[in-house]
Amino acid sequence: MLKVGNCKFDVWCLWFIVCGLYLGKAQAQDMGEKHCRVYYPKTQLEQANAESVKRFVVQFLPHTANHNSGVLWKYQTESPGGFHYAFVQTFCGIEVYQSEIKINVDRKGVVRSVLDNSYHTNNWRPISELHSPDVVVALRKGEEQPLLCQKVVVGHAELIYYGDELIHQQDLRSFATDSLVSGKIFNPDPLTTAQQTYGGIFKDNGDANAPWLDNVQQTVNFRTAFNGGFFSLANDYITIMDFDTPQIIPVTTTVPFFNYNRSQSGFEDVNAFYHLNTYRQHLNLLGFNLAENILWVDPHAVSGADNSYFSYSTTPPRIYFGIGGVDDAEDADVIIHEYGHFLSYNAAPQTNFGNQRNALDEGLGDYMAASYSKAINTFGSTNIFNWDGHNEFWNGRVVNTQKKYPTDITTSIYRNGEMWSTALMNIHDEIGRAATDSLIFQTHYGYSMNMNMDDAAYLMIEADTMLTGGKYFCSIFKHLYAQGFLPFFANNPCGISSISDAYEQLAVFSSNAQSFTLRANTSLAHVRIFTIAGKLAEQISIAQNEFTYTTPQLAPGVYIVQALAGNRQQSFRWIKTE
């Protein structure tokens, strides 16, 4: 029951009020002042499934099965109150535009309401022309005979044409108006909020709820779609769906509240939707458009396994969250990590091939998760997947590893990724989240397949040059060098002088806008010049202690100069501007 002032309304009754007003207004702007009709049949179904409901539609609305008319199932959803089935009317086998029939059934299999947008087709002339999947039957305003029309979607607009005449248009984003809702989430996870480590009363316990888990939930506001009298977890960018097993239909609600506890499937739906949209908004504020295309998300997938992944093999691409162990979509770290794969793919499509290239993506996701959670609460900020991992299910990961590149490279892309995420978090802690995020996302545009992790280090320096003119060079150099991704060079502008024997100075480097000079205490054998993307631009064989390079042919840009003598080598950064 919902209490408003001194009155109490049954939730279903409130739904009729919202639907009647909203749909009545929407249809009045459409095809000849046609209004959605709401019925209250209260009929007990033998079974609550699509086929049973379809039989009910034909019996309750017999005109939908006469005079060339039919009914086509479109979708079904689940809400705390029951199940919701959507159909459209067909005429001569063609979908009738905006003829949705919505059947709402409670959990006991009782039809609680019918919303009817269908037409009586007794007087309609049959349509016999050949047609394709993008055509619909529609009525021009004020007329009674159907027209065979073409439906075209351009951007966010849906257009209905009869020949060259535009007879209807719909802004597909209109659902966002007045669709602010609230819901309960973990922010970012129950352990971080409670400042606890996994164990004791703070355990998964078979997805069971508990008062201490309710106590660390937070109520947040966000925007959702509002269609057909229902709020659903969808917008122009992210849609919560059910496309993988187990088959758990995403929640919808007739009132603007998504309040679930963690034992209910709706909780993971809301948690994933909120955190993904929050990160997307953060990315937009930074000025990046990496998340402008649609993403489908299934918070209960992977056949129940304790695993999650991103896939770009479908259109739109998808994220699958597993529910083994701790449900992955209950932990913002897992949610944001998988979103990182989506963003990386958008920046450099189909480049995630090769062990070290894979590791860079894993490191990006871990960094994104760690920095996102740290912005909310700093407790346990060196651990990734605080709730989902570091427990009896799996060990989780960290962003403060002592491993160094390339010595500690293994076959595990995840453990290799820890070296990259650690370096990024150290940069983050020095220059801040916004600056680091901008640099790393800019860096990803330059990625290619089979690249090495130290290639990404040079690309990050290039990104700093592109975005800030080199403002953060020393912070980047210091931490990437400390993690092993960049070599030491003497007389660097950052005042870094503590080097091991392995990085003993080989040569002194000096440069200007057109040339550079190398001076060594031993005879140099080779000099190699690489682009910032790691492509060899030139190699020179020499046998002298001092070497000067100048050429007008080399394009302006950032280059890596590598000096070699015997088994020793040293690299330098050269910016050619003329």
Side-chain angles (χ1 to χ4, degrees):
M1 303 291 284
L2 183 71
K3 187 174 182 181
V4 182
N6 294 322
C7 301
K8 291 183 179 179
F9 297 87
D10 183 86
V11 171
W12 286 101
C13 293
L14 179 62
W15 180 85
F16 293 133
I17 295 171
V18 174
C19 175
L21 293 177
Y22 179 83
L23 286 183
K25 179 179 179 181
Q27 296 296 328
Q29 299 170 351
D30 189 13
M31 297 153 62
E33 300 298 313
K34 177 178 177 292
H35 289 263
C36 165
R37 296 179 293 277
V38 182
Y39 301 95
Y40 306 77
K42 301 283 180 30
T43 302
Q44 178 72 56
L45 298 177
E46 293 179 1
Q47 291 180 311
N49 57 43
E51 286 301 317
S52 177
V53 176
K54 184 175 181 179
R55 288 195 296 269
F56 166 82
V57 170
V58 173
Q59 293 170 2
F60 187 72
L61 302 172
H63 64 275
T64 61
N66 293 324
H67 304 284
N68 296 310
S69 184
V71 173
L72 178 67
W73 177 85
K74 296 296 285 187
Y75 68 87
Q76 66 187 62
T77 58
E78 178 183 6
S79 72
F83 306 90
H84 316 282
Y85 301 85
F87 301 84
V88 293
Q89 186 179 18
T90 61
F91 183 68
C92 295
I94 307 169
E95 180 178 332
V96 179
Y97 186 64
Q98 292 194 354
S99 63
E100 183 185 63
I101 302 165
K102 192 69 171 285
I103 312 298
N104 300 291
V105 182
D106 67 20
R107 293 188 173 273
K108 295 181 180 180
V110 176
V111 176
R112 300 301 301 263
S113 63
V114 176
L115 286 86
D116 177 23
N117 289 278
S118 65
Y119 291 80
H120 288 269
T121 61
N122 305 45
N123 299 321
W124 285 14
R125 290 189 294 269
I127 294 175
S128 58
E129 292 94 336
L130 295 176
H131 55 273
S132 58
D134 61 346
V135 302
V136 293
V137 171
L139 271 71
R140 188 189 283 116
K141 185 176 180 179
E143 296 185 0
E144 297 181 355
Q145 287 300 318
L147 304 173
L148 190 64
C149 300
Q150 184 176 21
K151 181 170 67 173
V152 179
V153 176
V154 180
H156 297 295
E158 183 180 80
L159 310 174
I160 305 298
Y161 284 94
Y162 177 59
D164 295 329
E165 178 189 357
L166 177 65
I167 66 170
H168 180 77
Q169 67 181 41
Q170 176 73 29
D171 184 351
L172 300 180
R173 298 170 296 176
S174 60
F175 62 73
T177 305
D178 298 326
S179 58
L180 185 67
V181 301
S182 67
K184 291 186 176 182
I185 62 165
F186 288 151
N187 198 24
D189 64 79
L191 297 179
T192 302
T193 302
Q195 301 198 0
Q196 299 286 331
T197 57
Y198 190 93
I201 62 174
F202 282 93
K203 298 187 69 174
D204 179 67
N205 196 23
D207 204 33
N209 194 48
W212 45 90
L213 293 172
D214 284 340
N215 292 340
V216 293
Q217 284 187 325
Q218 296 180 16
T219 299
V220 293
N221 295 321
F222 52 96
R223 290 194 173 275
T224 65
F226 181 70
N227 283 321
F230 286 87
F231 297 94
S232 59
L233 298 172
N235 55 33
D236 287 341
Y237 310 100
I238 296 164
T239 301
I240 302 298
M241 302 188 72
D242 176 33
F243 47 73
D244 195 36
T245 56
Q247 293 181 340
I248 300 176
I249 302 299
V251 293
T252 59
T253 176
T254 56
V255 292
F257 307 107
F258 287 83
N259 297 328
Y260 306 95
N261 65 57
R262 56 98 54 171
S263 69
Q264 298 173 299
S265 66
F267 180 80
E268 290 82 39
D269 293 351
V270 175
N271 207 54
F273 186 75
Y274 173 81
H275 288 297
L276 290 171
N277 277 285
T278 299
Y279 203 97
R280 183 187 64 78
Q281 292 162 7
H282 165 71
L283 193 65
N284 286 347
L285 289 175
L286 294 178
F288 289 87
N289 63 351
L290 290 172
E292 297 304 296
N293 51 322
I294 192 71
L295 173 67
W296 286 359
V297 178
D298 190 340
H300 310 94
V302 202
S303 299
D306 189 11
N307 189 24
S308 295
Y309 63 90
F310 163 74
S311 174
Y312 62 83
S313 62
T314 61
T315 303
R318 300 175 176 183
I319 290 179
Y320 300 69
F321 290 112
I323 58 175
V326 176
D327 291 358
D328 285 3
E330 289 186 5
D331 190 334
D333 282 358
V334 184
I335 296 167
I336 300 304
H337 173 95
E338 295 305 328
Y339 200 45
H341 290 295
F342 171 69
L343 300 178
S344 176
Y345 176 79
N346 289 340
Q350 300 184 28
T351 64
N352 199 14
F353 297 94
N355 181 286
Q356 293 193 41
R357 174 65 182 87
N358 292 159
L360 289 168
D361 252 33
E362 297 303 327
L364 169 71
D366 284 1
Y367 162 74
M368 285 173 53
S371 58
Y372 177 81
S373 292
K374 193 170 186 176
I376 299 169
N377 191 319
T378 60
F379 180 82
S381 59
T382 59
N383 284 346
I384 310 296
F385 318 121
N386 301 62
W387 177 230
D388 179 66
H390 304 278
N391 51 34
E392 70 267 30
F393 303 114
W394 73 294
N395 294 328
R397 292 198 288 274
V398 298
V399 288
N400 63 345
T401 184
Q402 297 302 307
K403 298 192 295 288
K404 307 292 183 184
Y405 179 89
T407 307
D408 294 313
I409 279 286
T410 70
T411 57
S412 169
I413 61 175
Y414 307 102
R415 297 306 169 188
N416 294 343
E418 285 182 318
M419 292 185 282
W420 186 241
S421 62
T422 293
L424 295 181
M425 278 305 296
N426 288 334
I427 296 170
H428 164 284
D429 291 344
E430 182 168 330
I431 70 175
R433 182 189 176 200
T436 308
D437 286 4
S438 295
L439 290 172
I440 190 58
F441 287 126
Q442 181 61 50
T443 299
H444 267 255
Y445 282 98
Y447 282 12
S448 64
M449 60 181 64
N450 298 314
M451 63 184 285
N452 288 336
M453 299 180 79
D454 55 349
D455 296 327
Y458 292 118
L459 286 176
M460 195 166 187
I461 291 176
E462 172 70 1
D464 180 48
T465 303
M466 295 168 63
L467 294 180
T468 73
K471 176 181 178 180
Y472 299 113
F473 173 79
C474 287
S475 297
I476 298 169
F477 171 76
K478 176 172 63 178
H479 295 296
L480 293 182
Y481 160 68
Q483 212 68 43
F485 293 114
L486 288 175
F488 177 83
F489 68 96
N491 302 318
N492 63 78
C494 309
I496 300 172
S497 59
S498 58
I499 59 173
S500 66
D501 291 340
Y503 291 102
E504 182 180 356
Q505 181 177 352
L506 173 63
V508 174
F509 178 82
S510 60
S511 65
N512 57 38
Q514 294 182 339
S515 65
F516 65 82
T517 299
L518 290 166
R519 296 180 178 88
N521 294 324
T522 187
S523 180
L524 297 172
H526 301 283
V527 174
R528 295 171 180 161
I529 304 173
F530 296 87
T531 68
I532 197 66
K535 181 180 179 180
L536 181 64
E538 194 164 352
Q539 176 172 307
I540 305 103
S541 296
I542 59 176
Q544 57 197 59
N545 290 38
E546 183 172 323
F547 171 75
T548 297
Y549 176 86
T550 180
T551 174
Q553 285 77 32
L554 210 58
V558 179
Y559 295 90
I560 303 301
V561 177
Q562 186 181 69
L564 300 97
N567 60 357
R568 297 171 61 197
Q569 66 178 43
Q570 188 174 353
S571 296
F572 308 90
R573 178 172 174 264
W574 174 41
I575 301 177
K576 185 178 188 298
T577 59
E578 298 179 8

